[in-house]
Amino acid sequence: MRRLAATAVAAALTACGTAAPANPVAIGATAPVYTARSLAGDSASLAALRGKVVVLNIWATWCHPCRQEIPQLQALHATYADRGLTVVGVSIDAAGTEAGIREFVHEFAMTYPIWLDPDERVTSRFLTMGVPETFVIDRSGVIRWHRVGALERDDASLTAAITKALNG
């Protein structure tokens, strides 16, 4: 819905002869400023991860496709962490559900960082359409890949984006 509204505004501005603003979360754009609280209770931010390649995955415990993609995210974490990749799972589950999130993380053997965003600020910052949604952000904070929906098993485009960002 938000993207439809943004498209309508851009079309109206273009029709009036005014250039439409660039999409702030497009491939090649700098990732938005974003902070959250980790499941451990610490402050976390994308800015603190500059210098690392980040796979930012927005998910929720109630999301069935999110459950299906967790093994792939965990495999990415295990395969590339020593090369400078950080997988971050941003849970948009409601406030007060931390115990359920911890249980979920344990059940799915998730060892990568989990950030909590019960107010869903990540959705407005990244203009997401739902969960799951995933971004690859390079070492300088630029968005290099984006997927709406569940990750496909052994997705060659995701692997290529990660490899390019790690080598770039």
Side-chain angles (χ1 to χ4, degrees):
M1 185 61 126
R2 283 181 243 147
R3 289 204 179 160
L4 182 59
T7 302
V9 168
L13 288 173
T14 302
C16 295
T18 304
N23 181 346
V25 290
I27 303 297
T30 300
V33 172
Y34 177 66
T35 61
R37 185 174 52 87
S38 74
L39 188 56
D42 302 321
S43 178
S45 71
L46 286 178
L49 296 176
R50 283 284 168 96
K52 293 184 175 276
V53 174
V54 177
V55 172
L56 186 74
N57 176 257
I58 303 158
W59 66 283
T61 58
W62 45 262
C63 166
H64 186 69
C66 299
R67 292 169 178 257
Q68 291 177 325
E69 70 180 2
I70 289 171
Q72 182 166 347
L73 291 163
Q74 184 60 43
L76 290 172
H77 171 67
T79 302
Y80 296 105
D82 63 340
R83 291 185 54 202
L85 177 77
T86 299
V87 175
V88 175
V90 179
S91 168
I92 61 165
D93 287 285
T97 61
E98 288 85 358
I101 295 168
R102 280 188 183 81
E103 183 178 310
F104 185 93
V105 165
H106 178 73
E107 177 184 342
F108 284 88
M110 299 163 74
T111 61
Y112 51 88
I114 303 300
W115 297 358
L116 306 176
D117 190 353
D119 298 326
E120 298 185 33
R121 289 176 298 102
V122 70
T123 62
S124 61
R125 296 257 195 260
F126 281 84
L127 302 177
T128 63
M129 296 173 49
V131 288
E133 200 154 338
T134 306
F135 297 84
V136 173
I137 303 167
D138 73 12
R139 295 179 193 276
S140 61
V142 175
I143 298 169
R144 297 298 177 190
W145 188 88
H146 176 216
R147 165 71 45 87
V148 176
L151 299 176
E152 297 173 15
R153 186 179 178 102
D154 301 321
D155 184 322
S157 69
L158 172 58
T159 304
I162 290 169
T163 300
K164 186 174 181 180
L166 287 170
N167 294 334

